[in-house]
Amino acid sequence: MKCNAAMKYVIANLKMNMVSLEECDHYLATLKHEWQDISSQNATCIVCPSHMYLDRFSRALPKSISLGAQDIFWDIRGSYTGETSPLSVKNIGASYTIIGHSERRQYAGETNEMIGAKVTVALKNSLSVILCVGETEAERDGDMTGQVIQEQLQKALADVSLFQFRKIVIAYEPRWAIGTGKTPSSHEIMGIRVLIKKLLAEKYGLEEAAKVPILYGGSVKHALMKEVCLDAGMDGVLVGKESLMPLELKKIFEVLA
Ligand code: PGA
């Protein structure tokens, strides 16, 4: 799936918040109800359940919603206990995968190099990539945001060709804003957007960089959409907690649809 900033994106990261088929089915039924009269040429919604429930979601998601994984491994097959192959994710019906989410960096010790390897294998196996970048609170306080993002992007895209690059969406998610209720100002977010575009233009050229969708993530809710997305010139949002409530997800989506 090609990605383009002419399209707006709402990505629902359900994280590890559903732990039974009953919970999944309840969520899916509510989502279906909320989505019954939604159709949009301008915006796309991608729902990312945990790996365990990808199949369930693949069968029951409303047709206009795409399926994504929350992570994949950097190889497609082999002796990797507990890992999930990008191919199995693709074969079960997902078109996207999140890579480099800050919770993977924090709890699973993922480095920029590992994230780069995952991006490469995902793209090779026809998954579009939602690549997360962002600084910690300490890095922000130390005025290192620009440097951190530059390094994250450089390593994640080290082996990505121009052709493959067209299947990437970048999500700027300051770690200190995730699940905390804190958000940067529109001005700060816009500054990061400009920085990301500049870094991408250096590698892929201005025209290509202009087409990459750049999203904001971290404590997004409907009431904040103007500030964190519209006023900041972002191409969409990555939503955690609020995406667990289909009505809230719909309200967010309708701002961009
Ligand atoms: P949040 O999560 O919306 O709950 O802050 C966002 C994310 O982790 O992607």
Side-chain angles (χ1 to χ4, degrees):
M1 194 97 44
K2 260 197 181 177
C3 303
N4 194 312
M7 179 63 84
K8 302 300 164 214
Y9 293 82
V10 174
I11 297 167
N13 178 7
L14 305 182
K15 308 194 179 182
M16 200 180 73
N17 286 304
M18 282 169 208
V19 296
S20 68
L21 287 175
E22 289 70 24
E23 284 181 13
C24 291
D25 289 347
H26 176 71
Y27 181 85
L28 283 162
T30 317
L31 188 65
K32 204 168 181 182
H33 173 75
E34 295 300 350
W35 237 258
Q36 60 196 341
D37 41 42
I38 287 200
S39 80
S40 172
Q41 307 297 324
N42 308 322
T44 188
C45 182
I46 303 159
V47 172
C48 308
S50 59
H51 289 155
M52 185 72 95
Y53 301 121
L54 277 168
D55 185 45
R56 197 69 159 200
F57 274 68
S58 174
R59 290 168 200 270
L61 269 181
K63 290 270 171 298
S64 62
I65 298 185
S66 298
L67 183 66
Q70 296 175 12
D71 182 42
I72 44 109
F73 192 59
W74 59 70
D75 203 351
I76 55 169
R77 191 189 294 270
S79 302
Y80 303 109
T81 305
E83 296 294 352
T84 303
S85 164
L87 258 190
S88 59
V89 161
K90 178 81 196 164
N91 288 337
I92 223 151
S95 325
Y96 295 83
T97 181
I98 298 173
I99 295 181
H101 190 277
S102 71
E103 285 151 15
R104 299 294 311 165
R105 296 179 193 260
Q106 183 178 352
Y107 301 121
E110 288 192 9
T111 62
N112 285 333
E113 288 74 13
M114 292 175 187
I115 289 160
K118 290 183 175 199
V119 169
T120 305
V121 78
L123 293 168
K124 264 193 198 149
N125 289 281
S126 306
L127 285 169
S128 296
V129 169
I130 300 147
L131 171 65
C132 299
V133 297
E135 79 287 3
T136 62
E137 184 137 45
E139 287 161 348
R140 171 182 155 99
D141 292 346
D143 231 354
M144 286 166 60
T145 302
Q147 193 185 322
V148 167
I149 290 177
Q150 177 168 19
E151 198 171 329
Q152 289 173 340
L153 279 178
Q154 245 167 21
K155 299 218 166 121
L157 302 175
D159 294 320
V160 175
S161 68
L162 178 59
F163 178 71
Q164 292 171 324
F165 177 63
R166 296 180 180 142
K167 294 180 67 179
I168 289 197
V169 175
I170 310 268
Y172 168 55
E173 296 209 303
R175 280 206 217 181
W176 52 271
I178 294 178
T180 58
K182 293 192 256 176
T183 48
S185 67
S186 311
H187 191 72
E188 285 173 285
I189 298 173
M190 196 182 274
I192 301 293
R193 176 188 164 88
V194 171
L195 170 74
I196 293 175
K197 290 274 181 188
K198 177 175 158 282
L199 294 167
L200 296 177
E202 281 166 14
K203 184 164 165 127
Y204 297 103
L206 264 179
E207 202 178 313
E208 290 297 328
K211 292 188 211 151
V212 187
I214 318 261
L215 320 186
Y216 170 78
S219 296
V220 172
K221 54 182 178 185
H222 172 246
L224 289 176
M225 280 298 282
K226 182 170 179 317
E227 202 173 319
V228 300
C229 186
L230 302 180
D231 289 354
M234 301 304 263
D235 305 304
V237 285
L238 205 167
V239 192
K241 197 162 131 264
E242 294 288 304
S243 72
L244 295 170
M245 296 169 280
L247 176 59
E248 294 306 313
L249 184 64
K250 173 184 167 179
K251 286 190 335 205
I252 291 170
F253 186 78
E254 281 177 334
V255 173
L256 299 171

